[in-house]
Amino acid sequence: MGDVSNPSLSPLPSADRPDVTTRLRDALLGASFTADGLLELLGAPAYAALSRSETVPALRATRGDTPLEVLVRLFLLQQPVPHARVTDVLPVDACLETGWLVRADDEVAATVDVRPYGGPGGEDWFIVSDLGCAVGGAGGIGNHAEGVVLGVGGASTTLAGLTVRTPVSAALDLGTGSGIQALHAAAHATRVTATDVNPRALHITALTLALSGAPAADLREGSLYEPVAEDDAYDLIVSNPPFVISPGARLTYRDGGMGGDDLCRRLVQETGERLNPGGFAHFLANWQHVEGEEWTDRLRSWVPRGCDAWIVQREVQDVTQYAELWLRDAGDHRGDPAEYQARYDAWLDEFEARKVRAVGFGWITLRRTGAAEPSVVAEEWPHPVEQPLGETVRAHFDRVDYLRAHDDAALLESHFTLAGEVVQEQVGLPGAEDPEHVVLRQNRGMRRATRVDTVGAGFAGVCDGTMSAGRILDAIAQLVGEDPVALRDRTPAQIRLLVEQGFLEPA
């Protein structure tokens, strides 16, 4: 697994003592050191404050002497705890022997963060990371150590929620970090491979899987697809890569070390041949908005041959906002002002040289297809969504298949139902006899809203699967006094859009 030593980072616990790991896991569960147990102990405000790097509310909530309070202070808040008190809660001697704890005089301290994490099926999991990195990330503690391994963050949980969760034979987690994606994949994949350029991350992933009671993964050191054989293919590939567009590669956990957005581009482009037919790949990414180029065209050029793609831009920042965000992430704003200014200048120089005006962030999903004309959808959607979205993502590609197989004539012969939790809103001036327009709105998944005309609204409202689309249009034509042939000619495009966006479902 390579040398995991680093003078600025704590030595890691042994990953080769499953007996001790099992005893430690049993002790944590026995004390209710779980996601639910934390929420009950700390309360919602203190629990939420941890994600903002604020530990004072949690420290105040753990001033007692219960086993759970002791464990929260020890493993989550990194406070030294009296040795005598810990012996009542943990197998202390075994934890000291294997490096989970260290002792100084009459106190013991943790060598790693351990954060309870609730799995999608109610599993009690634990994410291991470097000290201080389970709460608020590296920026929250000003940790500049090269090779630091972060714990649970918004990006990792977003990716986990996006991933299609169906039983698969082989899954690959590229850039595994603390092993969160590998842990999720282990719940529905027969075989999981996890890679990382940082050997320390692979060691921590092994600890995360073992402490969570999950099967071990095949851990491989290297960048992108280098550690896997050329003929290896997977049913699922996930990656929360070091996507930050930065001048240099100062911090392994975030900086890819390639120019601009080349790392994300290469990752996406090289994925097609690694996917089995029907397999999914899910990525988080940053991309450049370059002067004179549409961002959608840039992203479309990344999509490998033989893959459908759904690209969603969630956020755009101008180059100054972007530089400030990641300078704060590294804690540079708290250091020497001259050094901060020099680093800020370096970021802006990099962007200016590449004619970059802004940086986009979002999700990229690929699916290997045998279709002659793959579907590539690139859209901007900065609005709130409902996680988890894995089923929504899977349904999107099912609809792509359906629409690809049905021309307009076939659509008119088809039967549809209105998707669940869709509501209709009429928009217009108060007192007006007729609305200016009608909006259909989803209350789940992507929570889309789309404007329809009166025919589209009427059509969607009566779709219950009993009548074909053509017969419904004929009935509407008779009601509104319109030529049924003309209505049949102009409406399939609107039906196609409603199906594509998930408002209508094939019956």
Side-chain angles (χ1 to χ4, degrees):
M1 198 175 294
D3 180 15
V4 298
S5 64
N6 184 322
S8 62
L9 295 171
S10 299
L12 294 175
S14 170
D16 302 321
R17 289 290 303 274
D19 57 324
V20 176
T21 306
T22 298
R23 291 173 63 193
L24 175 57
R25 172 177 169 79
D26 289 343
L28 298 179
L29 294 176
S32 297
F33 187 63
T34 63
D36 289 342
L38 275 186
L39 182 59
E40 183 176 351
L41 171 68
L42 301 180
Y47 190 81
L50 291 177
S51 65
R52 303 191 301 270
S53 310
E54 298 292 349
T55 59
V56 172
L59 288 168
R60 290 173 60 85
T62 56
R63 289 180 292 194
D65 201 33
T66 67
L68 179 55
E69 288 170 299
V70 169
L71 292 177
V72 171
R73 293 178 73 87
L74 181 65
F75 282 117
L76 194 59
L77 302 177
Q78 283 88 59
Q79 299 295 306
V81 175
H83 178 274
R85 184 65 194 92
V86 181
T87 57
D88 297 334
V89 183
L90 297 175
V92 173
D93 290 342
C95 288
L96 289 169
E97 178 188 349
T98 53
W100 288 96
L101 301 174
V102 291
R103 183 171 182 175
D105 299 325
D106 293 329
E107 293 183 322
V108 296
T111 58
V112 288
D113 276 347
V114 176
R115 176 154 187 168
Y117 181 76
E123 302 93 342
D124 288 317
W125 291 338
F126 300 97
I127 308 300
V128 179
S129 62
D130 273 312
L131 289 173
C133 292
V135 177
I141 61 169
N143 192 333
H144 299 263
E146 173 63 20
V148 68
V149 179
L150 270 62
V152 182
S156 53
T157 55
T158 293
L159 180 60
L162 286 173
T163 303
V164 174
R165 300 295 176 191
T166 55
V168 296
S169 295
L172 173 64
D173 177 14
L174 282 174
T176 187
S178 56
I180 299 166
Q181 309 308 323
L183 180 58
H184 276 276
H188 62 102
T190 303
R191 176 171 58 89
V192 176
T193 301
T195 72
D196 205 290
V197 71
N198 181 5
R200 188 176 182 88
L202 297 177
H203 190 110
I204 284 180
T205 291
L207 296 174
T208 289
L209 294 172
L211 194 59
S212 298
D218 179 6
L219 303 176
R220 303 185 187 182
E221 182 181 344
S223 176
L224 299 179
Y225 288 103
E226 292 173 2
V228 296
E230 290 186 5
D231 57 351
D232 282 354
Y234 301 88
D235 308 297
L236 174 67
I237 298 175
V238 292
S239 184
N240 177 18
F243 53 66
V244 176
I245 300 170
S246 62
R250 187 160 58 106
L251 297 173
T252 305
Y253 72 85
R254 69 170 203 192
D255 301 324
M258 298 183 188
D261 52 15
D262 282 354
L263 183 138
C264 291
R265 175 186 57 79
R266 277 191 54 190
L267 176 60
V268 175
Q269 288 180 337
E270 294 176 6
T271 293
E273 60 190 22
R274 302 290 187 173
L275 278 176
N276 286 322
F280 284 94
H282 304 272
F283 310 111
L284 301 185
N286 274 176
W287 45 80
Q288 299 172 150
H289 284 229
V290 179
E291 184 177 338
E293 177 187 56
E294 291 292 331
W295 74 268
T296 52
D297 293 338
R298 185 179 192 84
L299 270 292
R300 288 175 184 275
S301 73
W302 293 5
V303 178
R305 294 179 59 186
C307 287
D308 293 325
W310 186 18
I311 302 161
V312 181
Q313 181 167 270
R314 295 287 290 159
E315 184 179 0
V316 180
Q317 292 183 314
D318 67 47
V319 292
T320 59
Q321 291 173 313
Y322 189 80
E324 290 161 13
L325 169 67
W326 293 109
L327 287 167
R328 287 194 302 271
D329 171 81
D332 292 325
H333 60 303
R334 293 195 291 266
D336 176 48
E339 186 175 351
Y340 174 82
Q341 182 175 342
R343 284 180 172 160
Y344 200 150
D345 270 334
W347 284 71
L348 297 185
D349 286 344
E350 174 87 0
F351 287 132
E352 185 175 346
R354 296 178 177 276
K355 298 183 179 180
V356 176
R357 297 294 175 258
V359 177
F361 166 79
W363 319 324
I364 300 174
T365 298
L366 305 178
R367 184 191 59 168
R368 187 71 181 269
T369 180
E373 296 185 13
S375 165
V376 179
V377 176
E379 62 175 323
E380 187 164 13
W381 191 255
H383 311 293
V385 298
E386 181 187 50
Q387 284 275 33
L389 280 169
E391 181 59 25
T392 298
V393 173
R394 185 200 59 76
H396 166 87
F397 289 95
D398 286 348
R399 294 193 299 270
V400 165
D401 286 340
Y402 178 86
L403 292 172
R404 196 155 40 199
H406 289 72
D407 59 16
D408 288 354
L411 280 183
L412 292 175
E413 294 299 319
S414 299
H415 295 237
F416 300 97
T417 59
L418 187 66
E421 297 188 42
V422 172
V423 297
Q424 175 180 304
E425 299 174 358
Q426 295 185 345
V427 181
L429 293 174
E433 183 175 346
D434 296 313
E436 293 180 11
H437 58 266
V438 177
V439 173
L440 299 181
R441 188 179 301 277
Q442 300 168 346
N443 285 322
R444 65 181 184 186
M446 292 294 286
R447 294 181 175 172
R448 294 187 185 277
T450 190
R451 183 184 298 190
V452 293
D453 59 22
T454 53
V455 170
F459 178 88
V462 298
C463 279
D464 60 4
T466 59
M467 296 173 60
S468 70
R471 287 186 61 195
I472 292 174
L473 290 179
D474 291 343
I476 292 175
Q478 185 174 2
L479 283 173
V480 300
E482 188 169 340
D483 179 5
V485 175
L487 195 61
R488 279 175 171 256
D489 284 344
R490 70 176 176 84
T491 307
Q494 190 168 190
I495 296 174
R496 190 171 293 274
L497 179 64
L498 292 175
V499 172
E500 178 183 318
Q501 295 189 343
F503 289 93
L504 293 179
E505 299 175 345

